[in-house]
Amino acid sequence: MKRLVFLDESVRLIFHAVLVGSIYLLFVGHNQPGGGFVAGLVAGAAMSLRYLVGGLAEVRRISRFQPWTIMALGVAISTSTALAPLSRGHSIMASMSTSFDLPLLGHIYASTTLPFDIGVYMVVVGLVFMVFEAFGEDPDAEADEVPEADEEGATR
Amino acid sequence: MNQLIPLPIVLPLLAAALASLFGRWKVVQRIISVAVLTATSAISILLLVRVDRDGPLVMHAGDWRAPIGITLVVDRLSAIMLTVASLMLLAVLVYAIGQPGAERHHVGFQPVYMILAAGVAGSFLTGDLFNLFVSFEMMLTASYVLLTLGGRKDQVRAGMTYVVISLLASTLFITALALLYSATGTVNMADLAAKIGQLPLGLRQAFAVLLVVVFGVKAALFPLFSWLPDSYPVAPGPVTAVFAGLLTKVGVYALIRSQTLLFPEGSRPVTLLLITAGLTMAFGIIGAIAQDDVKRILSFNIVSHIGYMVFGLALFSVGGLAAAIFYAVHHIIAMTTLFLVDGLIEHAGGSSRMRELGNMVRSAPVVALLFLVPALGLAGIPPFSGFVPKLGLIQSGFAAVGGQGHRALVIGVVAVSLVVSLLTLFSVIKIWIGVFWSPAFETPSGAAHTVGRLGGPPLMVIPTATLFVLGLTVALTAGPLYRLCERAASDLLNPHAYITTVLGR
Amino acid sequence: MHGAIAAVLFPSGAHLGRKSFIVAAVAPLSALIWLCIQLPDIVEGRVITQHLSWVPQLGLSVDLRLDGFGALMMLLITLIGVVVCGYSAAYFSPTSPGLGRCAGLLVAFAAAMLVVVLSDNLFLLATAWELTSITSYLLIGNDHTKVKARAAALQALLITALGGLAMLAGFVLIGQAAGTYRLSAILASPPTGGTVSVGLALVLIGAFTKSAQYPFHSWLPGAMAAPTPISAYLHSATMVKAGVYLVGRFAPAFATVTIWRPLVLGVGATTMVLGGLRAMRQHDLKLLLAFGTVSQLGFLIVLFGAGTPEATAAGCVMLLAHALFKATLFMVVGALDRRTGTRDLRRIPVLGREWLGVKIAAVAAAASMAGVPLLLGFIGKEAGLDALGHAGFGASGWVIAAIVAGSALTVAYSVRFVWGMFGGGSLVSERNDPDRAPRLEFLVPVAVLAGIGIVLGVAPALANGLVEVASTALDPAAPAAHLAIWHGANLALALSAVALAGGTMLFLVRDRIEPVLAVGGRVPSGAAVYTRLLRGTNNAATVTTSVIQNGSLPLYAGVTLATAAVVPGAFLVSRAAWPGFPRFVEHWAQLPVVIAILGAAVAAAVVRRRFSAALFLGTTGYAMAGLFVVQGAPDLALTQVAIETLSTVLFVLVLRRLPDRFERTSSNRRRALRLVVSGLVGVLVFTFAIVSRANRDAVPVSTEMIARSLPEAHGRNVVNVILVDIRGFDTMGEITVLTAAGIGAVALARAGKRRRSSREVAS
Amino acid sequence: MSIVLAFAAASLFAIGTHLVLQRKLSRIIIGLALLSHGANVLLMTSGRGGVAPIIGSGDVTDFSDPLPQALALTTIVITFGVTALLLAMAYRSWLLTNDDEVDDEVDDDVIDSDVLRGGWHDKEVDDELSPEEPGVDA
């Protein structure tokens, strides 16, 4: 398929913008509409844009990691965050937090809910990746036993 | 001690994450999974001992006290179920590792299996109705995946039935939750128990019935069971064993828990449960008789025997509930063992269809023994494990006849249960004849393996034999176990301790 | 008691070929020796008990109690057990497979049988009872490659298991009425009432099935498919006596219950006559004996069931006699079969001198069976007739008549047996072959049992003590036994004479009265019912299952949804009060949004192109997001939009593979049904929603969540605080659901494509 | 709760049911999605509607009920995951059969006429189930 370079580039531009937006949503989630799910899904929606222009190969170009790695890491982060308080004699999932002052940013409040939400975000992003892995293959390419896309996926 | 409560849920989840991270190293995956399930088994035994001594234990997730947050509660019933479930999961995992098949060919097997384990544990431990939904979904989604691992045509076809019906049940569950929240403003079970009591009687009854239907699909009650015998047999062997042993029992657990905890006496649908129990027994066994395939016969037997547990529940007496709980324990062990034996049969004979098998009492005598005893136990033949709860049910049934109401119905159900246990005997003996005694009529469709003295690879035979011994132990130590079940049952009928521990009043 | 327990351990060690039977014999032998040591005590009336708790809450415990009657039964079980084990070692050919299994099962059976007769707990008795059924099943099917053996085994199992279950239910009823499940306690103070009658009837069904009483007798002849030693042991001497044993135990306590005597005596007498008739027409000696057993069991049931002390005492004698002579005869037939290759009485060759010992034993045993004086069988029968003659209940005349008729038949078939054995019916007069002489191993067991029978017959006083203690154990009023050959000329003696003479007559004129004898085979029996019932069950199961389990997903889904709508709906409509309608709308914006949602939903449902349906579904989703905005749920709206976008893309990805249009496939009836179910579901949801909302008066827990969100969780967005903190546990579960779904989706999409990619799935 | 919302939920349930009872998996999936929308509308109506529950954005007493929202969010996401899985099945089914019709036969091998004889061949049924009664015609 011949790509229109300019379309390609603009989609990537939009993609990155949306990605930044999604990370913003992730971080403000505690106080405004947003949060891990929403942010992850928005990132996923952005990925579907990339898919539309370049198919599975284009989606695979987004990340160096395998989708299941992202997902598994997400689950690992969230569950570890959940487990951590147990070792301190708290209940599972108990949020542990500290607040401190940084010179430039002012008063910072940090709590374990954030890594938990990051885990959620990663899982959702990973899921979207996997969905494209599952359904995204070109029907024509799939007829051949060794499609190029796969080679590419494997080397990445 | 309370710190242990969430571990049976969270540890497998962590293991699932690690297992998929270490997907390239099969050995690491296996070590992690076996270690985690061993740990959860140990934890659940500890919890059982502790809870039996000191009463229910709770943990409020995130330190948000009930009814705000999600509460995890261990009482005797959940500890019993959790213990049995953990042991089964562990045994089947070892078996799966020993068997050439799904576990070896799919890197995804281990993580998904761990998620299943977490879902099962979550269902037993949670004290929150919505969290129960989430746990169900963990368990079910994992089961969808395990069922279709391999992607064969029959698997996909059966998977569709299974997934669609389960999704319908899940939607019904959400509907019930929405309606309950609508009426009470809470989803915490202990809190619901208090608030449902203030609703008008008719609405309470309608809720009780709605929940019977919701959990009835999972537990495979008449007429909601048809999905089960169609879908279970297509899964890879060990997976079917877990499904058969555990998944329906989680439904039964939810039925018992919801009907005893949430609904005060008088609003429980006793008549409906009795009728359902009788019909489930009857139709399940009728289905079993009509089959030619070992797995299908056993699958229908699952359905049939759920009826016994529901009968025990429907009596709402200590005796009835204790028998139901004991029956569940026995049934989990016996069914899992039998499906593992079926795996051995398939391994040795290349098929699970009776006319392609035969004369295995000669070729694999160990397998024959491993089959016969749990099978007789399933049919409630004394002194094997199924007899004790059956006797308990008959006794409680007749005792209930002396009480008020439902006389004819209870007598009818007892009669049905007796006839059904005869037919159960017939159905398992049919397997015995078809697989072990009579010569094969056709050549098996799959490849048969040569088996040694044990009748299969050691890693397959040893877990099976362990469960076999466990079943015998349950029968031998039925006295103390039954007393434990009675204590659990009287907790259920008198949920005051549960509610006050959860709500902290 | 340890003998019983030790016996169980033997199957494990027994894989020594024929020798395994010798090993096996150790178990009953040790029990026998133990019994002999205890016997003096027991004769003095001491009772040995042992108690082991099992499930006390259910009244289930291991209570063993050895009293006089138990000792009599135990003596039979162990004595004949030892003899049969010895005999088996000769009977089986060294090469036949599964000998160890067979020996092990035999010992296991002996143990179970001992527990039956020693049990003082109803449920323990039921347990051992079922175990004898199971071991019997496995032994009948010993030759499992033969379909007839399998069928016979199945029949025996199902019929006796049916009885066992009935008995179990009966035990529960009786025990609950009595307040204890201890047999001795129940018998000491028998409960009364309607429940007890029902319970007794159920228990009797158990006894009748086990003791092969009409109409449940058909399994016993079938059980002859078992090897002959097994038949000798299980199916004549011991297991079939379990029912007799039970009747004997219960009769003294319950004989006065209205249903007891008509049932027991009627069934017993019928069985005795019919069994005798059938025995007359058998050519297979083993079957002849089997029907003879059926007949004799009927007699025993009558004797024990009468419930009078004298009859009980007579029963004890008869029980002993029968076990001795029937086991002997079976072993004789077994020896004949092994050495001559046939047991058809028309084919048995004239036997030579080497057979003399066997012949003597056989004649003695058969004569005992026929009730010839000077033998134990005579004494038993005599005593029985005498007892029934003096019994003070109605209709005893009929019973006596039936017994005399039955006895005459017994005489006739005994004569026929002997006649056949001596080659009387032989069509081929084969030459005697020295190779076919019976070996000593055959002779010894046969001789032992026959010898005991003869000795006791000549000197019945030897058995006095045992019989007396046995009968008084059952019924304290039982008379002191004074077994003697000559009781003086009385009615009983006359009847015995009539029976003997009549029997001989019957034998002589057997060909002429053939049609009369044939009646026995024509009386409708349980066998036909059994077969019809079993096949009927099989067919009914098949038809039912093919209807309700036809694999149709729409059917399953329809049943599920219809149940969900109708059952709770019925409760709701009939029991709950209608609270009245709420406001029409809460917010003006709800109306257009709902119209958009429903419009898109209807469109998604009716369009014929898959692609359009997917797009309309997406529209519904976006409209849902609109609803969420209106309801004040921005997080939800955002999520919904993102998910809907993804889902639509997903749908399109999948749908591009599928044909563009749906074909119309369903019939009008189906569509109507669908509409009905949908309507019901809709109505239920509508009603339920309104009723449940109207009944809320509690403050929702979320009020507190809002209050605590900022101070405790440091978050302003309450929904997000709930998701990641308050109910974070849900969220953790949820992401694992996603993980599983992701793994599954990829595994499915890639399944079976390439090895490499399947490895890739989660690597 | 208003009549309109209750009606919306009920209608979504009815339409969804109608679709679920059909044979094409695509329709079934759409039906399930509509059922899930219906359940979500019910969840929304189970709590109070109002202003977005973000502290500082309005009067606390006007807030919409946040708990059902959180629950609905969880359900939506779970349903999405499971739907993806179901779609994968449809896709797989298409690969294997070139259709997404959910036909009635479960397994060609199992529901054939042999099952109609209870797993035993005709001859076998006769043999296994009917022991000859020995001696009837001897």
Side-chain angles (χ1 to χ4, degrees):
Chain A
M1 186 196 305
K2 209 171 183 180
R3 283 185 192 152
L4 295 167
V5 177
F6 112 92
L7 182 66
D8 225 32
E9 285 308 315
S10 58
V11 162
R12 281 190 199 167
L13 208 67
I14 294 169
F15 173 76
H16 285 109
V18 177
L19 211 60
V20 171
S22 87
I23 290 173
Y24 171 77
L25 278 176
L26 169 67
F27 280 90
V28 301
H30 222 47
N31 295 313
Q32 288 168 30
F37 279 121
V38 176
L41 288 167
V42 168
M47 274 189 260
S48 62
L49 270 182
R50 298 255 327 233
Y51 178 80
L52 289 180
V53 286
L56 187 59
E58 180 69 19
V59 173
R60 281 181 174 154
R61 207 161 288 153
I62 296 171
S63 153
R64 292 179 356 99
F65 299 104
Q66 297 282 5
W68 30 90
T69 315
I70 301 174
M71 245 182 156
L73 269 179
V75 176
I77 292 173
S78 295
T79 48
S80 317
T81 322
L83 274 173
L86 281 180
S87 60
R88 302 243 188 120
H90 292 289
S91 294
I92 185 119
M93 294 284 323
S95 63
M96 299 188 292
S97 56
T98 73
S99 57
F100 46 88
D101 290 302
L102 277 182
L104 222 62
L105 295 165
H107 188 73
I108 295 286
Y109 174 81
S111 133
T112 48
T113 51
L114 186 61
F116 185 79
D117 226 10
I118 292 174
V120 173
Y121 178 84
M122 289 175 75
V123 170
V124 176
V125 170
L127 175 74
V128 177
F129 265 122
M130 286 184 95
V131 162
F132 284 117
E133 281 287 331
F135 302 108
E137 265 182 288
D138 201 8
D140 306 323
E142 170 196 307
D144 309 328
E145 277 303 275
V146 191
E148 272 184 4
D150 257 333
E151 286 300 320
E152 197 175 356
T155 45
R156 275 178 166 274
Chain B
M1 190 53 86
N2 290 28
Q3 303 284 317
L4 294 179
I5 299 174
L7 292 184
I9 308 170
V10 186
L11 280 185
L13 290 183
L14 191 60
L18 295 180
S20 26
L21 282 178
F22 290 110
R24 282 187 196 284
W25 298 282
K26 199 89 226 184
V27 182
V28 181
Q29 265 199 345
R30 287 175 179 169
I31 291 173
I32 294 173
S33 307
V34 172
V36 162
L37 286 185
T38 313
T40 55
S41 303
I43 291 170
S44 43
I45 291 171
L46 271 177
L47 285 174
L48 177 60
V49 172
R50 175 66 190 273
V51 164
D52 188 39
R53 206 180 55 207
D54 300 342
L57 293 173
V58 295
M59 169 172 272
H60 304 287
D63 283 331
W64 293 92
R65 299 199 65 81
I68 307 289
I70 294 172
T71 313
L72 301 177
V73 196
V74 201
D75 68 345
R76 292 196 176 100
L77 175 62
S78 41
I80 293 172
M81 299 299 284
L82 185 66
T83 306
V84 182
S86 311
L87 293 173
M88 291 309 115
L89 285 163
L90 178 61
V92 173
L93 179 68
V94 175
Y95 182 96
I97 291 172
Q99 188 192 37
E103 196 269 347
R104 288 189 198 166
H105 296 152
H106 293 274
V107 188
F109 181 91
Q110 297 275 6
V112 177
Y113 190 81
M114 286 295 120
I115 293 173
L116 181 85
V120 170
S123 309
F124 291 143
L125 291 176
T126 187
D128 185 285
L129 208 55
F130 188 81
N131 192 246
L132 181 66
F133 166 77
V134 174
S135 303
F136 266 13
E137 288 304 311
M138 287 160 71
M139 178 179 93
L140 289 174
T141 312
S143 72
Y144 308 150
V145 177
L146 290 174
L147 183 76
T148 50
L149 266 189
R152 288 197 321 267
K153 188 177 161 192
D154 60 330
Q155 285 184 313
V156 173
R157 172 63 189 82
M160 286 179 189
T161 305
Y162 181 58
V163 177
V164 170
I165 299 292
S166 300
L167 270 177
L168 282 180
S170 300
T171 310
L172 287 174
F173 196 172
I174 287 294
T175 311
L177 272 164
L179 294 170
L180 273 171
Y181 186 78
S182 187
T184 62
T186 186
V187 286
N188 179 292
M189 291 205 267
D191 201 23
L192 273 172
K195 290 189 175 149
I196 283 179
Q198 295 158 9
L199 297 177
L201 179 67
L203 186 57
R204 275 201 317 245
Q205 286 179 326
F207 272 126
V209 175
L210 184 61
L211 286 184
V212 168
V213 175
V214 167
F215 298 132
V217 181
K218 318 260 170 190
L221 293 186
F222 178 88
L224 311 168
F225 65 78
S226 302
W227 55 271
L228 187 149
D230 280 356
S231 55
Y232 279 13
V234 301
V239 172
T240 318
V242 169
F243 285 12
L246 292 181
L247 296 200
T248 46
K249 253 62 77 186
V250 175
V252 172
Y253 167 85
L255 264 181
I256 294 179
R257 178 66 80 200
S258 61
Q259 295 300 320
T260 53
L261 176 62
L262 300 186
F263 300 100
E265 209 177 330
S267 45
R268 296 164 181 159
V270 177
T271 316
L272 178 76
L273 284 174
L274 283 174
I275 295 174
T276 313
L279 291 176
T280 308
M281 291 178 202
F283 278 93
I285 202 64
I286 283 175
I289 289 174
Q291 306 300 319
D292 169 52
D293 186 281
V294 177
K295 280 181 171 177
R296 285 181 70 89
I297 292 185
L298 293 177
S299 297
F300 274 104
N301 263 311
I302 303 174
V303 173
S304 174
H305 291 221
I306 297 294
Y308 286 81
M309 295 166 224
V310 174
F311 175 46
L313 168 66
L315 292 173
F316 287 107
S317 63
V318 171
L321 276 169
I325 298 168
F326 199 107
Y327 207 108
V329 171
H330 138 74
H331 198 249
I332 290 174
I333 300 174
M335 262 301 160
T336 314
T337 318
L338 286 174
F339 271 100
L340 292 186
V341 172
D342 171 72
L344 290 172
I345 292 174
E346 280 182 54
H347 182 80
S351 171
S352 69
R353 305 183 59 193
M354 295 191 310
R355 69 187 129 102
E356 296 173 0
L357 293 164
N359 211 10
M360 281 182 68
V361 78
R362 290 276 157 76
S363 57
V366 176
V367 179
L369 180 70
L370 287 176
F371 172 81
L372 189 62
V373 171
L376 292 176
L378 196 68
I381 298 290
F384 306 112
S385 58
F387 172 67
V388 176
K390 190 174 84 181
L391 181 63
L393 283 177
I394 298 174
Q395 283 189 12
S396 317
F398 281 139
V401 173
Q404 78 287 31
H406 307 294
R407 247 162 216 259
L409 203 51
V410 172
I411 294 178
V413 179
V414 171
V416 170
S417 77
L418 288 171
V419 174
V420 167
S421 69
L422 185 69
L423 293 177
T424 307
L425 180 66
F426 178 47
S427 73
V428 294
I429 286 298
K430 217 175 130 170
I431 300 179
W432 175 258
I433 293 174
V435 175
F436 294 99
W437 268 4
S438 73
F441 286 88
E442 289 169 19
T443 44
S445 40
H449 297 74
T450 45
V451 296
R453 282 174 68 87
L454 281 176
L459 268 186
M460 287 170 77
V461 178
I462 291 170
T464 317
T466 312
L467 291 189
F468 173 89
V469 173
L470 189 65
L472 287 182
T473 318
V474 165
L476 281 179
T477 58
L481 279 180
Y482 202 85
R483 205 167 294 131
L484 175 63
C485 291
E486 278 187 339
R487 287 195 294 272
S490 60
D491 287 354
L492 290 175
L493 288 177
N494 189 4
H496 186 69
Y498 181 101
I499 293 173
T500 47
T501 320
V502 172
L503 297 181
R505 287 182 197 135
Chain C
M1 301 300 125
H2 303 283
I5 298 156
V8 184
L9 301 174
F10 270 86
S12 50
H15 49 91
L16 311 160
R18 288 210 292 191
K19 291 205 193 75
S20 55
F21 285 101
I22 309 288
V23 178
V26 174
L29 187 64
S30 53
L32 179 62
I33 293 168
W34 180 85
L35 177 67
C36 289
I37 297 168
Q38 304 294 326
L39 211 51
D41 279 355
I42 291 166
V43 170
E44 275 164 31
R46 207 165 64 89
V47 171
I48 301 170
T49 58
Q50 210 170 60
H51 172 79
L52 203 71
S53 199
W54 186 12
V55 192
Q57 306 90 313
L58 298 177
L60 189 57
S61 58
V62 184
D63 285 314
L64 297 179
R65 183 172 185 276
L66 178 61
D67 63 359
F69 191 46
L72 176 67
M73 291 297 293
M74 187 173 172
L75 182 72
L76 291 180
I77 295 162
T78 50
L79 176 68
I80 299 180
V82 173
V83 173
V84 164
C85 279
Y87 176 80
S88 300
Y91 177 84
F92 287 101
S93 84
T95 51
S96 60
L99 281 181
R101 186 180 65 218
C102 190
L105 283 171
L106 199 67
V107 179
F109 163 79
M113 191 63 210
L114 281 180
V115 176
V116 168
V117 299
L118 297 182
S119 166
D120 194 30
N121 179 289
L122 291 181
F123 299 130
L124 180 65
L125 196 157
T127 302
W129 185 283
E130 296 288 13
L131 280 180
T132 60
S133 297
I134 297 292
T135 41
S136 162
Y137 169 75
L138 294 173
L139 285 167
I140 297 172
N142 187 57
D143 201 358
H144 56 77
T145 46
K146 289 196 185 130
V147 71
K148 287 296 161 201
R150 294 199 297 269
L154 182 65
Q155 187 192 20
L157 178 68
L158 289 182
I159 290 183
T160 49
L162 167 76
L165 283 169
M167 188 182 76
L168 183 66
F171 280 168
V172 173
L173 286 176
I174 293 174
Q176 281 187 342
T180 174
Y181 295 103
R182 235 188 140 84
L183 185 56
S184 49
I186 292 172
L187 297 178
S189 54
T192 53
T195 332
V196 176
S197 300
V198 178
L200 279 178
L202 289 171
V203 170
L204 283 178
I205 291 177
F208 292 160
T209 51
K210 199 77 167 178
S211 281
Q213 297 298 293
Y214 188 85
F216 306 112
H217 66 274
S218 60
W219 68 267
L220 184 57
M224 295 303 131
T228 301
I230 305 296
S231 307
Y233 192 36
L234 272 67
H235 306 126
S236 73
T238 56
M239 186 179 84
V240 289
K241 299 279 169 54
V244 175
Y245 168 82
L246 199 63
V247 169
R249 280 277 180 213
F250 274 61
F254 292 105
T256 48
V257 173
T258 334
I259 57 155
W260 180 274
R261 282 199 178 113
L263 203 55
V264 175
L265 300 182
V267 168
T270 313
T271 310
M272 186 176 184
V273 174
L274 287 180
L277 285 173
R278 297 290 298 274
M280 278 304 285
R281 299 186 70 236
Q282 303 306 318
H283 297 307
D284 183 338
L285 285 177
K286 200 171 168 186
L287 282 178
L288 188 156
L289 290 180
F291 279 108
T293 307
V294 171
S295 167
Q296 293 283 315
L297 287 170
F299 185 34
L300 285 168
I301 290 275
V302 169
L303 285 181
F304 278 108
T308 65
E310 295 79 11
T312 304
C316 290
V317 182
M318 203 55 214
L319 187 74
L320 182 63
H322 179 254
L324 289 173
F325 66 67
K326 203 43 89 41
T328 312
L329 292 175
F330 265 105
M331 290 194 289
V332 167
V333 171
L336 274 176
D337 190 11
R338 293 300 295 176
R339 305 309 293 173
T340 66
T342 181
R343 46 179 206 235
D344 186 328
L345 51 70
R346 290 165 302 190
R347 296 221 158 74
I348 290 178
V350 178
L351 301 168
R353 293 182 57 82
E354 305 85 10
W355 286 85
L356 188 62
V358 174
K359 276 180 181 169
I360 292 172
V363 170
S368 181
M369 175 157 80
V372 173
L374 286 180
L375 290 163
L376 200 55
F378 167 75
I379 297 167
K381 194 174 287 183
E382 188 84 333
L385 286 169
D386 191 41
L388 290 174
H390 293 98
F393 50 84
S396 54
W398 282 104
V399 176
I400 292 179
I403 294 206
V404 173
S407 302
L409 285 166
T410 308
V411 173
Y413 69 72
S414 305
V415 176
R416 188 155 173 265
F417 177 87
V418 173
W419 167 78
M421 218 201 108
F422 280 93
S426 176
L427 304 175
V428 277
S429 174
E430 272 175 45
R431 252 183 56 76
N432 217 6
D433 186 350
D435 275 359
R436 296 189 162 181
R439 287 202 307 266
L440 197 62
E441 302 106 282
F442 280 121
L443 188 57
V444 172
V446 170
V448 169
L449 288 189
I452 297 176
I454 294 171
V455 170
L456 288 182
V458 178
L462 288 175
N464 260 351
L466 186 61
V467 168
E468 183 184 332
V469 73
S471 48
T472 47
L474 291 177
D475 189 347
H482 36 83
L483 299 180
I485 302 167
W486 183 247
H487 278 283
N490 55 10
L491 177 65
L493 185 67
L495 291 176
S496 284
V498 170
L500 274 174
T504 322
M505 273 278 273
L506 279 178
F507 172 73
L508 293 175
V509 300
R510 64 186 182 281
D511 292 336
R512 254 171 286 163
I513 57 164
E514 183 67 26
V516 181
L517 297 177
V519 169
R522 277 207 297 275
V523 173
S525 81
V529 179
Y530 164 82
T531 310
R532 219 173 304 142
L533 211 60
L534 206 55
R535 284 214 213 149
T537 312
N538 221 36
N539 294 340
T542 309
V543 172
T544 317
T545 311
S546 61
V547 172
I548 61 167
Q549 193 75 32
N550 65 354
S552 157
L553 177 55
L555 176 74
Y556 298 174
V559 168
T560 308
L561 284 166
T563 312
V566 171
V567 181
F571 273 80
L572 190 70
V573 170
S574 65
R575 309 273 170 89
W578 176 250
F581 284 103
R583 276 175 301 169
F584 183 68
V585 283
E586 287 158 321
H587 195 286
W588 65 268
Q590 282 176 351
L591 203 57
V593 174
V594 165
I595 291 172
I597 292 174
L598 293 185
V602 171
V606 297
V607 290
R608 303 291 283 286
R609 297 185 60 183
R610 281 190 166 81
F611 197 73
S612 323
L615 289 185
F616 276 118
L617 180 65
T619 314
T620 319
Y622 289 126
M624 284 287 293
L627 179 67
F628 295 146
V629 171
V630 171
Q631 291 296 99
D635 287 86
L636 211 47
L638 267 175
T639 314
Q640 180 69 42
V641 168
I643 287 235
E644 212 50 57
T645 310
L646 272 172
S647 312
T648 310
V649 170
L650 209 64
F651 253 105
V652 171
L653 283 183
V654 174
L655 291 189
R656 63 181 176 176
R657 318 282 167 86
L658 297 173
D660 190 34
R661 283 171 178 278
F662 297 111
E663 295 123 40
R664 181 189 289 270
T665 47
S666 31
S667 66
N668 281 333
R669 226 190 68 206
R670 237 176 225 277
R671 223 170 308 136
L673 215 63
R674 223 153 47 203
L675 285 174
V676 170
V677 176
S678 320
L680 285 174
V681 170
V683 170
L684 170 87
V685 169
F686 186 75
T687 324
F688 220 140
I690 286 176
V691 174
S692 47
R693 188 67 169 117
N695 279 294
R696 156 94 72 90
D697 21 82
V699 180
V701 287
S702 50
T703 314
E704 207 174 330
M705 293 178 184
I706 296 174
R708 289 163 67 176
S709 172
L710 191 56
E712 291 183 37
H714 305 278
R716 292 174 186 278
N717 181 358
V718 185
V719 174
N720 185 263
V721 166
I722 294 175
L723 280 175
V724 298
D725 196 338
I726 299 178
R727 298 189 66 92
F729 208 69
D730 277 346
T731 307
M732 191 178 66
E734 187 186 350
I735 58 177
T736 56
V737 170
L738 295 184
T739 312
I743 293 176
V746 175
L748 266 175
R750 297 241 169 137
K753 253 197 246 161
R754 266 153 285 134
R755 260 197 86 74
R756 198 172 55 89
S757 51
S758 74
R759 223 182 310 124
E760 247 173 31
V761 165
S763 58
Chain D
M1 167 65 67
S2 63
I3 294 181
V4 168
L5 286 187
F7 179 76
S11 311
L12 283 172
F13 267 93
I15 301 168
T17 304
H18 188 71
L19 286 170
V20 165
L21 300 186
Q22 308 203 358
R23 280 170 184 281
K24 297 288 177 188
L25 196 60
S26 335
R27 281 216 149 139
I28 295 178
I29 294 175
I30 293 174
L32 286 169
L34 292 180
L35 282 177
S36 147
H37 284 329
N40 286 331
V41 173
L42 270 190
L43 265 176
M44 291 315 297
T45 62
S46 72
R48 181 180 54 169
V51 185
I54 293 167
I55 294 165
S57 69
D59 189 355
V60 174
T61 49
D62 287 341
F63 277 180
S64 57
D65 193 335
L67 183 60
Q69 295 179 23
L71 303 186
L73 205 151
T74 308
T75 2
I76 290 174
V77 176
I78 287 180
T79 310
F80 170 70
V82 179
T83 307
L85 191 59
L86 197 54
L87 277 172
M89 278 184 201
Y91 172 74
R92 178 83 190 146
S93 164
W94 175 82
L95 280 184
L96 294 167
T97 62
N98 275 328
D99 195 7
D100 70 335
E101 171 136 338
V102 192
D103 46 5
D104 276 0
E105 44 192 339
V106 179
D107 176 351
D108 296 329
D109 294 339
V110 175
I111 298 281
D112 62 7
S113 53
D114 272 323
V115 163
L116 299 180
R117 291 191 292 268
W120 273 318
H121 292 265
D122 276 339
K123 176 80 173 65
E124 264 179 278
V125 177
D126 282 355
D127 291 348
E128 298 281 356
L129 298 189
S130 30
E132 66 181 0
E133 202 187 350
V136 173
D137 299 311

